[in-house]
Amino acid sequence: MKQLSIIILLVSLAFSGYPADKGKIEVPLRFDRYYNLAEVEEALRALHQAFPKLTKLDVVGKSEEGREIYALTINNPDTGNELEKPGVYVDGNIHGNEIQAGEVCLYYANMLLTKYGENEQITNAVDKNAHYIIPVVNVDGRYYFFEEGNTPSTNRSIRVPYDDDGDGLFDEDGPDDLDGDGNITQMRIKDPHGQYKPDPEDPRIMVRVKPGEKGEYTLLGYEGIDNDGDGRLNEDTEGYLDPNRNWGSSWMPPYVQRGAGDFPLSGTGLKAIADYIAARPNIIVGYAFHNTGGMWLRAPADKSIRLDPSDIAAFDVVGNEALKMTPGYVYHASHELYPTYGDFTTHLYFINGILGFVGELFMRNQETFRSKNESQKQDDLDFSGRGGSSDRNRELLQFNDFLTQGELYKDWEKFDHPQFGEIEIGGWVKMSSRLPHPFMLPDLVHRNASVVLHSAQHTPEIEMEVYDVKKLDGNLNRVRVRLENKKGLPAMTAHAFKTKLYELDRLMVNGAKVVAGGKITDKYFEKVSYKEKKPEIQFLAIPGYGVVEYEFLIEGKGDVTFSFESQKAQNVTASVKL
C-alpha cells in the first residue's frame, strides 16, 4: 500500500505540471517554479533573514480558517522612517487560483533586496520609498488550490460557507477529484445520440456534430458526482464570497453584485488588510495582481463615476509606460472590461487616496505553435476544450505536447463512475490555461515587477525654492516660494484634495508674522489668490510634474523657515534671512 501511495503521488504531481522535487528555498529565490502556501511563507522568511536591516516581516491578520497573512516591508532605515517616505503597495493572489500573482510579488521583493547596492535604479527605489508586499491575500484559496483537486478556475473564493443552490445545505456539492490525480478535468460518456464527437485531426478535442450527423459523446462537465442527490453536478462549491467584491467603496449587495458578501469587508482577511493599508497613509500607489488577460486596469470600476482629469493623467504616467514594458497588454479603466462594485482598487482610490492598478497577468495567446508564415489562430473561449476553433485548440495541444512535454493536458482515460457507469476523464489540468508554464514564468514576473519599480521611480519628489525676496515699505517683505514635483505621480490626488479625504498637504511659514499669503495665479500680471484666514498655512496639492508658487507678505527681520508637509511625499524645508 505504501508503494502504491507513492506512485499515486508522483502521478498526481506529473499531471499537475508541478515538479515532485522542488528543491530548497534559498536567496536569491528561483522563479522557474510555483510556490505552495507554505513555501511562500518560507521564501518571505528567507528574504527577511538574508536582509534583516532592510526588511520587516509582519502578520497582517488571519484568514477565515486561521491561516496567517504575511506582509514584507522593504525600507532602508538609514534614509528615513518608512512612514515619512512615499509608499508602494503590492499584493497578489486575491483569488485563490491566481498563483502567478503571488510570484510577481515575491519577485519584486527578491529583485529589490538582491540587487540593492548593485543596481542604481533599484538602490534609489529602496532608499527613497517604503515597499509593502503581501504575496498572498487569499491564503486559504492558495492552500487548497495546491493541496486539493481543482480546475484552472476553482478555489477563487474566500472560504465562507454559502448555499449556492438554495437547498439549505452549504458547499456540499463541489467538484470531486474522482481519479485522485490532483486535478479536476472533464468527463465524457459515449452516447450515439450525443452532441459531440472527437476531432478527426486530434481526438482529444471535442467538436459539435453537424445537423443530421451521428454523435459519439455527451460532455458531462467537470469531474464530480451528485453529492446531494438533486440531479446536478458541482453546483454548490466552496464559498462564494468574492474577495474582489467585498471592499469598502462602491459596494453593492449580492442581488446586484454576485459574491459581494453580507456587508463590506465581511471577509476576515480583507478587513485586516484594509486596516494594514489605513495604518500606512504614506502609500501613494498600489498594485493588485491577478492571473489572466494581459491588462492594466485603473479606477473607476463603475462607468457612472468620473475622475478628475489630473488624476487620470497621473494614472496614465504609469499605465502608458506599462504597455511598453508588457507587450500585448491593454490599459484602460476597469469598467471598460465590465462594471464591478466593491473592488479593491476602487477602495484604494476613494478610501485611501491611492492610485491603484490591477495587473491581469497571463495571455494564453502566448502559447503558440506555428510556423513563421502562419497567422494567429482564433483564441479558445474556455478551458474545457469545447469552445473556440478546432485550429486553436489543436495549436494549444501542440504547445502542450512539444513545449511542456505533455504536462498541461491529461489524455482521456476510462473511469467507472458511481452514477454514470463507464465514462472517460481528461482535459486541461489545474496548472494550465490561466497559468503560464514555469518555463514562461521568469519573463512574466520580471516585466510586471519592473512596472511596479517604474511606479516607485515616479512617486512624488518635491523640491522647494525661495526664489524672490523683495523689500517693501516699512518693515514689510514680499517673499515668493516655488514648489516643484520632479516626478509623474502627485503628492496628493485631486480627488483626495477636493473631498478632504485625509489631512491636506500644506505649506507653512515659521519664524515671522505673515500679514498675507496665497497662491500666485499669474506671476506675470502679479495676481495672487490671498487666503483670508491664517495665511501662514496654505493648503495645496502638487500634481505630477507640477509647479505651484506662493507669495507671502512678512513683517520683521530674521530667519524665516518654509516647510512643506505631506502624508504621501517626503517633507521639505527652505529658509531665508530677512
Side-chain angles (χ1 to χ4, degrees), residues 176-243:
D176 302 280
D177 184 9
L178 298 177
D179 56 3
D181 69 349
N183 298 287
I184 304 293
T185 53
Q186 294 285 311
M187 301 187 297
R188 70 183 185 184
I189 188 169
K190 288 188 175 180
D191 181 359
H193 303 291
Q195 296 297 308
Y196 290 88
K197 68 176 184 178
D199 184 338
E201 293 189 36
D202 192 327
R204 293 174 291 185
I205 299 172
M206 292 284 94
V207 295
R208 282 190 174 274
V209 297
K210 298 175 182 178
E213 188 178 13
K214 188 176 179 62
E216 298 182 39
Y217 284 93
T218 290
L219 295 180
L220 300 172
Y222 284 112
E223 286 179 69
I225 61 175
D226 181 8
N227 293 285
D228 55 2
D230 65 354
R232 293 181 291 172
L233 298 177
N234 308 333
E235 81 284 353
D236 198 349
T237 187
E238 82 285 340
Y240 187 73
L241 173 58
D242 190 325

Side-chain angles (χ1 to χ4, degrees), residues 68-87:
E68 293 177 325
I69 302 170
Y70 283 92
L72 185 72
T73 300
I74 299 176
N75 173 60
N76 183 1
D78 290 344
T79 58
N81 183 288
E82 66 176 84
L83 295 178
E84 296 174 358
K85 299 177 181 180

